Each structure stands twice: as structure tokens, then as C-alpha cells.
């Protein structure tokens, strides 16, 4: 872990009990007794939506002999579940939302592990989501090696009072390879490669079906060709900040698996049926939970 990047001034008094931390968007405080059941946490699985979090926790419970699923009661911002050493949490859509979720979850993890860096280093983090595929058919799962910005810079850039700070977008390569290797035996098509994280779904991903149309078909095609040539397999909206913030603390096991819902080389609109969306959405979770079941205990 990178001890120097951890906000000890704020977090250590919470661990000692001298201060209470309010995880405002998770809807819980550090002195809430419900958190005692979370103390054995060894993994955090993130997803964009409430439905995916609830489904992932239920699937994990099934794999763990029906272990109890505990919910944090407040759900108006993020949705959180805990089941047998795994914390499941939603992060909403986009970098600003995911950043808020990550800050509060990292603070919570520090509190739950009593600031024990060895225990923190053992925590596995994964984002399970969807993405636009770059030359990949819907249903393929993109396992990310690295999140890059739209211009291929391999960072999440934050512009603040201290100037511009770059957070490294790398995912753990051994974990990525291990998750990707689970695709073939499960009959799930997998692509291993880089992912672009954008801060908008329409203009930021050079779609031509937004309310505004700023780009041209030729510009769009050239961008996508450039992505393909740079080993980018998927386009999504949170990976760089998830990897960036987790890398800043030095977590060593960080992964992202996203199911393709549209091949961007074919178009912009996502017109899958509800069944396809649900089936494809589950695939990324299946791979991550299988990896977790095999590696974490
Ligand atoms: C993938 O899908 C969402 C947009 O539809 C966004 O959260 C993402 O990263
Ligand atoms: N999520 C994205 O951000 N982009 C897509 O094209 C599909 C899902």
C-alpha cells in the first residue's frame, strides 16, 4: 500500500474511536452497529446499478451456502450489500458519481480493517459493468488491463487547487489474465485489453445519436479506428477513476469486467432485448465471482 497517500489525519481518529465518520452517500456512520458484521471484508465488488448489486449479492450468497445478505438501509444514493466477506456497492454513472462512491468505500474499508495495511492490501476490488465494444459483438466481456482517456492518456486527470493530478489507470495484470481465462470454460466470449473511460456517454464517446451532434461520421470512425489500433476493446465511464483512486492507495488486486452492449463499429444505439441485457450483464459478474471464489479463500 502507498501509506503516504492515505489520509491518516482524517482516518486514524475514526479507527481509534476519537471521531466518527459519516459515509453520507452510503447512508451509514462509523459508529453504526450494523458495520460490525462487515469486519471480515476481503473484497469489494462495484456495479453501476441497484439491480446489479442486489443480483450479485444474491448470486454470491448462493455460492456461499446461502450466507446472509445484509443491506445498508439507506438507498437513495448508493446501494450496498454485504455477504460472506464481500461488500457489493453501486457507484452510479460516470466519473463524478463513481469518485464519490470510491472515496467513501475506501474510507469505510480503512475503518473496517482498523487501518491494517496488510489486510487492506489483501482486499480485492472489481467493477462489473457494461461497455461499448470496439469491434466486439454484444455479449463479449471486456476484461481491462488499463483504463485510458479518450486521447489514450493512461490516467484519470483531476484538476484541483493543487494543479492537475494524474491517477494511474492500470488494472492488475495477473488478476485480469486470471479472470479472462475463466471465459472459455464458461462459454463466455472474453477480450482482454484496454478500456477508454469518458466523462459523457454521447458527445464524450463520439456518438452521433445525441440531442446535439457535434462530430462527423468520418471523425467518429477515425477515433474508433485509433482506439482499435491502440488495443482498446471497450468504452465506458468509470474505469479510470476506479483504478486511479485505488492505485493511489496501492491496492494490488483491482479488476474491471464489462459486458459489451453495442459494437461501436456497427452503430451507436443499444437495442438489445431485456433478456439479452440481463444475460449479458450477468456474464461479467459470473467471471468476477468465479475468480473471487477461487482466489480469495
Ligand atoms: C457503462 O454503462 C453506463 C452508461 O450506459 C455507464 O455507467 C458505463 O460505464
Ligand atoms: N456504456 C458506455 O459507457 N458506452 C456504451 O456504448 C455502452 C455502455
Amino acid at each position: 500500500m502507498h501509506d503516504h497517500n492515505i489520509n491518516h489525519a482524517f482516518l486514524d481518529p475514526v479507527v481509534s474511536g476519537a471521531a466518527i465518520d459519516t459515509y453520507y452517500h452510503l447512508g451509514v456512520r462509523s459508529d453504526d452497529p450494523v458495520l460490525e458484521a462487515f469486519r471480515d471484508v476481503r473484497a469489494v465488488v462495484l456495479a453501476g446499478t441497484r439491480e446489479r448489486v442486489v443480483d450479485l449479492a444474491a448470486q454470491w450468497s448462493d455460492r456461499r451456502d446461502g450466507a446472509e445478505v445484509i443491506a445498508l438501509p439507506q438507498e437513495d444514493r448508493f446501494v450496498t450489500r454485504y455477504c460472506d466477506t464481500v461488500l457489493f456497492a453501486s457507484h452510479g454513472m460516470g466519473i463524478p458519481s463513481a469518485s464519490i462512491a470510491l472515496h467513501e468505500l475506501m474510507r469505510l474499508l480503512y475503518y473496517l480493517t482498523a487501518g491494517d495495511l496488510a489486510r487492506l492490501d489483501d482486499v480485492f476490488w472489481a467493477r462489473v459493468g457494461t461497455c461499448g465494444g470496439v469491434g466486439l459483438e454484444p455479449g463479449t466481456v471486456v476484461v481491462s488491463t488499463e483504463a485510458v482517456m479518450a486521447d489514450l492518456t493512461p490516467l484519470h486527470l483531476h484538476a484541483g487547487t493543487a494543479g492537475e493530478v494524474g491517477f494511474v489507470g492500470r488494472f492488475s495484470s495477473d488478476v485480469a489474465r486470471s479472470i479472462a481465462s475463466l471465459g472459455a470454460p464458461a462459454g463466455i466470449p472474453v477480450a482482454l485489453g484496454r478500456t477508454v473511460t469518458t466523462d459523457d456517454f454521447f458527445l464524450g464517446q463520439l456518438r452521433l445519436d445525441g440531442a446535439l451532434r457535434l462530430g462527423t461520421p468520418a471523425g467518429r470512425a477515425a477515433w474508433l479506428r485509433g482506439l482499435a489500433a491502440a488495443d482498446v476493446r471497450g468504452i465506458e465511464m468509470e474505469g479510470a477513476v476506479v483504478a486511479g483512486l485505488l492505485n493511489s492507495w496501492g491496492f494490488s488486486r483491482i479488476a474491471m469486467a464489462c459486458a459489451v452492449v453495442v459494437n461501436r463499429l456497427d452503430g451507436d444505439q443499444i437495442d438489445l432485448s431485456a433478456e439479452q441485457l440481463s444475460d449479458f450483464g450477468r456474464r461479467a459478474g459470473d467471471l468476477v465471482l468465479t475468480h473471487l471464489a477461487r482466489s480469495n479463500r
Side-chain angles (χ1 to χ4, degrees):
M1 301 296 292
H2 301 154
D3 198 22
H4 58 281
N5 279 337
I6 296 176
N7 184 0
H8 288 288
F10 179 75
L11 294 171
D12 289 344
V14 180
V15 169
S16 74
I20 291 165
D21 193 1
T22 301
Y23 311 100
Y24 169 65
H25 302 88
L26 299 178
V28 70
R29 287 165 33 130
S30 54
D31 63 347
D32 191 320
V34 72
L35 292 180
E36 287 314 305
F38 293 33
R39 288 272 182 198
D40 291 336
V41 62
R42 296 186 64 189
V44 184
V45 176
L46 305 159
T49 66
R50 175 186 200 283
E51 287 65 31
R52 204 162 291 137
V53 163
V54 170
D55 189 50
L56 283 162
Q59 283 187 53
W60 185 245
S61 173
D62 286 347
R63 288 173 185 249
R64 313 308 296 172
D65 298 327
E68 185 187 6
V69 176
I70 303 167
L72 289 185
Q74 187 179 301
E75 300 202 335
D76 56 336
R77 295 293 188 182
F78 298 124
V79 175
T80 316
R81 296 285 184 273
Y82 184 84
C83 177
D84 189 27
T85 72
V86 185
L87 186 60
F88 299 88
S90 67
H91 56 57
M93 270 192 290
I95 289 170
S97 179
S99 172
I100 295 168
L102 258 291
H103 275 276
E104 294 190 6
L105 288 165
M106 289 162 72
R107 275 160 41 189
L108 179 60
L109 262 284
Y110 190 88
Y111 172 68
L112 291 173
T113 58
D116 178 337
L117 298 189
R119 273 199 64 199
L120 278 171
D121 193 36
D122 194 41
V123 174
F124 169 82
W125 293 80
R127 163 170 139 71
V128 169
T130 56
C131 66
V134 181
L136 298 172
E137 291 311 310
T140 309
V141 175
V142 175
V143 181
S144 298
T145 53
E146 181 174 47
V148 299
M149 305 195 326
D151 65 358
L152 301 176
T153 309
L155 298 174
H156 164 63
L157 286 185
H158 167 75
T161 49
E164 207 166 60
V165 181
F167 294 93
V168 174
R170 200 176 43 245
F171 291 96
S172 319
S173 54
D174 52 339
V175 177
R177 276 198 303 274
S178 159
I179 293 175
S181 74
L182 300 171
I188 297 175
V190 166
L192 188 64
R194 301 165 98 192
T195 311
V196 162
T197 302
T198 67
D199 51 17
D200 172 59
F201 183 81
F202 290 99
L203 302 183
Q205 298 183 7
L206 275 67
R207 280 187 152 77
L208 299 176
D209 65 342
L212 303 182
R213 180 166 164 160
L214 296 185
T216 62
R220 172 191 181 285
W223 181 60
L224 290 168
R225 271 199 309 275
L227 296 188
D231 192 36
V232 171
R233 299 284 169 261
I235 306 169
E236 53 79 67
M237 297 178 61
E238 297 85 16
V241 75
V242 169
L245 291 178
L246 295 173
N247 279 320
S248 79
W249 272 24
F251 286 103
S252 48
R253 298 195 295 146
I254 312 168
M256 181 165 77
C258 294
V260 171
V261 291
V262 59
N263 181 356
R264 289 299 310 284
L265 299 191
D266 292 344
D268 291 335
Q269 295 250 305
I270 298 167
D271 56 5
L272 301 177
S273 68
E275 291 72 31
Q276 284 174 311
L277 277 173
S278 148
D279 171 27
F280 296 168
R282 269 200 162 187
R283 291 181 179 186
D286 281 349
L287 298 181
V288 166
L289 294 187
T290 301
H291 169 81
L292 196 52
R294 291 187 186 176
S295 69
N296 212 28
R297 53 215 70 240

